[in-house]
Amino acid sequence: MPTAAAYAVAGLVHLVTAALFTLSLLLIVVGFRTVSQPLIGLVVLALAVALRPRVGRLDPGLPTLRPSDAPALFRLLDEVADACGVRHLDAVQFGPAFSVTVTRYGIRRRRCLVLGIPLWVACPPQQRIAAVTQALACSAPRSIRSGAFVGMALESLTAGLRTLRANGNTHIEWTNDPTAYRADYAASGVHRFNARARSSEWLLWIPRTAMAATARLLLRLTLPATRDSQLEADDTTARTASSEAAIAALNDQHLARAIGVETHRLVIETKTLSRKRSATASRPDFWESVAHHAAVLRENRDGDRPTGAGTPVPAPDVTPDPFDALRVARLADHPRHPATIRLDEAGLTRIADELRVPGQAVLSNIMRDGAAVA
C-alpha cells in the first residue's frame, strides 16, 4: 500500500510539473497582448523549471575512470554487478567521503559508482567487495528510490527546494543617520527593497513548503520498500563477499566521522609541518596513515569479540541507528555464507596501480579544500 501511494504521489509531481509548464506557455502566448498574463506566465514557468526532471551529470571536479582506463577494477565491478543482477557500470568517480554510492547520468541514465578513497583504503580487501556489493544491490530496479519514476520525482523536489531556498541576503540593515547625504532618499530606497524582498520570500514560501512536504511524504512512503531492499542487499552481499565481510562493512559505516576527523588532522599536520608549506603539498604515506588509523579504531571497537557478535559499536559522537543494529543482528543469526568473489594478490596489485592516479587527485583536492567531517 505505501509503495502504491508513493507511485501515485510521484505521478502527481510529474503531472503538476507538466501542468505548470503548459499553463505558463498558454499565459505567455495567449495573453501576449496584455501585461499581467505574461508576467504571471513567467512566474509559473519559473516554478515549472524548478520542478523539471533533472538529467544527472558526472561531477567535473572528481577524477573519473572508464572501463578502458582500469580493466582490473571494472572486471571486479562487472563480477559484482552480475552477482547483484544489475547493469554494469559505465564509469567510476572517486571522492573524499567515506562512502560508496551509485548515481545516474545522461538521458540514458548511465550508471556511475562514486567511490570514496578513504573508505577504499580503510577497508580490508573483502570488505571493499562487500561495500561495493551493498551499493550496487541497493541500486537494483526493485529499489523504489533508485527507479526512474519515483527517483526522478524525489530528485526534482530536492533540486527545486535548493533553487527556491530562502536567501538570507535579501535584507539590508540601515541606520538612519540624518547627517548622511540624502539620508531620507536612501532610507526610503532601503525600505522599499526590504518590503519587496519580504513579499518575494512570502511568495516563494508557498511552493517551497509544498515541495518540502511532498518530499517528506515520498520519503516516508518509500521507507518500508527501501528497508526491504536494504535487507535483500544485505543477503546479496553476504552471498557475494561472505557473511563476515558484510557484517564488518555494516559495522564500519560508523567509522565515517572518525576517519573524517583523522583525515582533517592529517591535512592540518601536513600543511603546518611541511617544510615547503605549500597549500597542496601532500605526504606520500597519507592514505597509509588513514588505513592504519582505521585498523586501530576497529581494534579498539571490537576488542577480542568475534566479528558480527552483537550490535555495531559506533565511533565517538555517533548515535547508533536501530535499523543498522537490526541488519547486523539479522546477518549474524542467519547461516554463514562463504565468499564467491575474492581478489588474489595479483588482482589487488593491479587495482592499486590503477587507483594510484585517482587517489593522488583526490588527495590534492583534500589538501586544497580541506576534509569534510561527517
Side-chain angles (χ1 to χ4, degrees):
M1 187 63 181
T3 301
Y7 275 101
V9 173
L12 182 62
V13 171
H14 295 310
L15 286 176
V16 168
T17 304
L20 288 174
F21 184 75
T22 304
L23 178 61
S24 65
L25 291 182
L26 290 175
L27 288 173
I28 294 173
V29 175
V30 177
F32 71 97
R33 293 182 179 179
T34 65
V35 177
S36 58
Q37 289 186 13
L39 291 178
I40 297 174
L42 289 175
V43 174
V44 177
L45 180 61
L47 291 177
V49 171
L51 271 175
R52 74 190 186 278
R54 265 64 172 185
V55 177
R57 295 181 299 174
L58 294 176
D59 190 339
L62 299 181
T64 306
L65 290 181
R66 307 283 182 175
S68 59
D69 302 324
L73 174 64
F74 275 88
R75 192 178 304 115
L76 170 65
L77 297 178
D78 290 345
E79 292 180 12
V80 174
D82 292 336
C84 297
V86 298
R87 286 165 41 201
H88 290 183
L89 294 165
D90 301 288
V92 177
Q93 289 195 308
F94 300 90
F98 190 88
S99 63
V100 53
T101 57
V102 177
T103 61
R104 290 166 176 81
Y105 66 96
I107 298 177
R108 298 175 60 184
R109 291 180 66 82
R110 297 180 182 274
R111 295 161 60 83
C112 173
L113 183 75
V114 182
L115 179 61
I117 291 293
L119 181 141
W120 186 264
V121 301
C123 290
Q126 209 58 32
Q127 282 183 228
R128 299 172 185 174
I129 298 177
V132 172
T133 305
Q134 180 74 32
L136 288 176
C138 285
S139 69
R142 61 181 175 272
S143 178
I144 185 172
R145 290 182 185 174
S146 300
F149 195 74
V150 177
M152 292 187 71
L154 272 172
E155 292 171 4
S156 299
L157 290 170
T158 53
L161 284 172
R162 286 194 299 268
T163 303
L164 302 180
R165 65 184 181 276
N167 188 357
N169 298 325
T170 57
H171 181 77
I172 298 178
E173 295 292 341
W174 170 257
T175 55
N176 190 6
D177 185 1
T179 61
Y181 177 70
R182 304 193 67 178
D184 54 343
Y185 180 78
S188 176
V190 169
H191 177 73
R192 290 195 302 270
F193 177 85
N194 290 336
R196 292 171 182 171
R198 284 193 298 269
S199 299
S200 63
E201 284 296 327
W202 274 107
L203 289 175
L204 291 177
W205 178 84
I206 298 174
R208 192 165 58 229
T209 303
M211 290 180 189
T214 307
R216 285 195 294 267
L217 177 61
L218 263 182
L219 290 174
R220 182 179 293 273
L221 291 174
T222 56
L223 182 60
T226 300
R227 288 187 168 178
D228 290 341
S229 65
Q230 287 179 331
L231 295 179
E232 292 179 10
D234 291 340
D235 295 336
T236 303
T237 303
R239 292 192 300 267
T240 304
S242 80
S243 298
E244 286 74 13
I247 293 173
L250 286 175
N251 281 330
D252 279 1
Q253 289 180 353
H254 303 283
L255 298 181
R257 177 175 173 79
I259 295 298
V261 170
E262 175 64 12
T263 304
H264 180 73
R265 187 193 68 80
L266 289 173
V267 170
I268 299 301
E269 179 183 282
T270 304
K271 287 185 176 182
T272 55
L273 300 181
S274 176
R275 294 181 179 179
K276 297 181 179 180
R277 297 189 181 275
S278 172
T280 59
S282 59
R283 48 195 291 178
D285 61 340
F286 188 94
W287 294 125
E288 287 78 3
S289 300
V290 173
H292 175 72
H293 184 72
V296 172
L297 287 175
R298 282 192 203 94
E299 293 177 1
N300 294 337
R301 180 197 64 191
D302 297 333
D304 296 331
R305 64 181 176 86
T307 304
T311 58
V313 179
D317 302 329
V318 176
T319 303
D321 186 353
F323 184 64
D324 286 346
L326 173 65
R327 294 166 65 188
V328 171
R330 177 175 173 273
L331 287 175
D333 293 338
H334 280 196
R336 297 303 176 96
H337 296 280
T340 57
I341 297 179
R342 288 186 179 274
L343 277 176
D344 54 14
E345 290 299 328
L348 288 172
T349 302
R350 285 193 296 268
I351 292 178
D353 292 338
E354 294 170 350
L355 299 189
R356 185 170 290 109
V357 174
Q360 289 298 322
V362 172
L363 180 54
S364 297
N365 292 339
I366 291 177
M367 296 300 300
R368 181 193 63 200
D369 303 328
V373 178

